[in-house]
């Protein structure tokens, strides 16, 4: 059994789907051992608490890089975490942490990496740029996290169409549906050693 830590900052819809899939046996061999939020205001936190999971709030504010790194690592070690699942976690992970958990940190991004990713590409902005560029398709990508932003090896990617009258909000919803499908699939692939 591998222990997962799911990191969130917002609504946590990816987290929710992953938790449901674990519960229903659609992701096997994992235990959701910790949900960590960068803010106490994350809506997903309440869901995790109500589900009886162990939760933690870790606020980066006024902390040095070393303090962030040591603080996060001790929380992860306390729960004997094997894999970190970033699910809408808005903060950048410190390099020491990324190094320690190399090939054991996954992230999901709402575009077809290497397009529309990197610093500043989050939230609606991603979809606004896709539409502005006149793209005919977009999608989502699950990838390993390395020291860069959205630069780690790709685990799974799936596309969806972009329609001429799409608004960023409409496209965001279409992409989010794909995210919910592929994140659980990618976790299962990694856990079963298919990747
Ligand atoms: C998703 O679009 C994900 O790709 C990005 O942040 C968003 C999180 O959404 N990294 P949610 O909190 O899982 O609903």
């Amino acid at each position: 059994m591998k222990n997962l830590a799911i990191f969130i900052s917002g609504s946590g819809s990816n987290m929710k789907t992953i938790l449901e899939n674990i519960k229903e046996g659609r992701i096997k061999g994992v235990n959701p051992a910790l949900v960590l939020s960068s803010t106490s205001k994350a809506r997903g936190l309440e869901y995790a608490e109500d589900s009886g999971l162990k939760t933690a709030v870790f606020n980066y504010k006024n902390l040095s890089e070393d303090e962030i790194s040591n603080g996060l690592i001790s929380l992860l070690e306390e729960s004997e975490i094997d894999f970190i699942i970033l699910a809408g976690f808005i903060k950048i992970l410190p390099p020491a942490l990324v190094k320690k958990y190399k090939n054991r940190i996954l992230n999901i991004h709402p575009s077809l990496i290497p397009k529309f990713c990197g610093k500043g590409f989050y939230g609606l902005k991603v979809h606004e740029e896709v539409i502005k560029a006149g793209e005919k398709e977009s999608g989502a990508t699950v990838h390993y996290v390395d020291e860069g932003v959205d630069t780690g090896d790709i685990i799974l990617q799936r596309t969806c169409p972009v329609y001429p009258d799409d608004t960023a909000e409409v496209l965001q919803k279409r992409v989010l549906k794909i995210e919910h499908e592929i994140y659980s699939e990618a976790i299962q692939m990694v856990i079963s050693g298919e990747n």
Side-chain angles (χ1 to χ4, degrees), residues 42-111:
R43 273 174 292 145
L45 200 55
E46 208 179 303
Y47 178 88
E49 282 163 1
D50 291 348
S51 308
L53 298 175
K54 184 169 173 187
T55 61
V57 174
F58 190 88
N59 197 328
Y60 274 34
K61 216 173 161 199
N62 299 326
L63 298 183
S64 69
E65 190 178 304
D66 276 354
E67 286 168 333
I68 294 170
S69 196
N70 295 335
L72 287 173
I73 288 173
S74 71
L75 282 169
L76 294 167
E77 286 182 342
E78 207 179 283
S79 292
E80 298 180 4
I81 297 303
D82 300 299
F83 287 90
I84 302 170
I85 308 298
L86 302 182
F89 190 66
I90 204 77
K91 300 288 183 188
I92 301 288
L93 294 179
L97 175 76
V98 173
K99 215 168 154 194
K100 189 171 164 70
Y101 286 84
K102 193 172 161 46
N103 291 328
R104 296 192 293 144
I105 312 176
L106 277 61
N107 183 42
I108 189 151
H109 183 77
S111 81

Side-chain angles (χ1 to χ4, degrees), residues 10-15 87-89 107-110 176 179-180:
S11 68
S13 72
N14 277 288
M15 172 200 73
F89 190 66
N107 183 42
I108 189 151
H109 183 77
L176 192 61
E179 293 185 39
H180 293 166

Side-chain angles (χ1 to χ4, degrees), residues 97-150:
L97 175 76
V98 173
K99 215 168 154 194
K100 189 171 164 70
Y101 286 84
K102 193 172 161 46
N103 291 328
R104 296 192 293 144
I105 312 176
L106 277 61
N107 183 42
I108 189 151
H109 183 77
S111 81
L112 298 172
I113 291 177
K115 285 182 164 182
F116 308 101
C117 61
K119 225 170 164 221
F121 278 95
Y122 62 87
L124 271 183
K125 162 101 174 151
V126 176
H127 309 289
E128 279 161 10
E129 293 298 322
V130 167
I131 290 169
K132 217 188 279 173
E135 295 287 323
K136 298 270 181 295
E137 64 174 19
S138 189
T141 307
V142 181
H143 64 93
Y144 286 108
V145 172
D146 64 9
E147 279 88 347
V149 181
D150 302 330

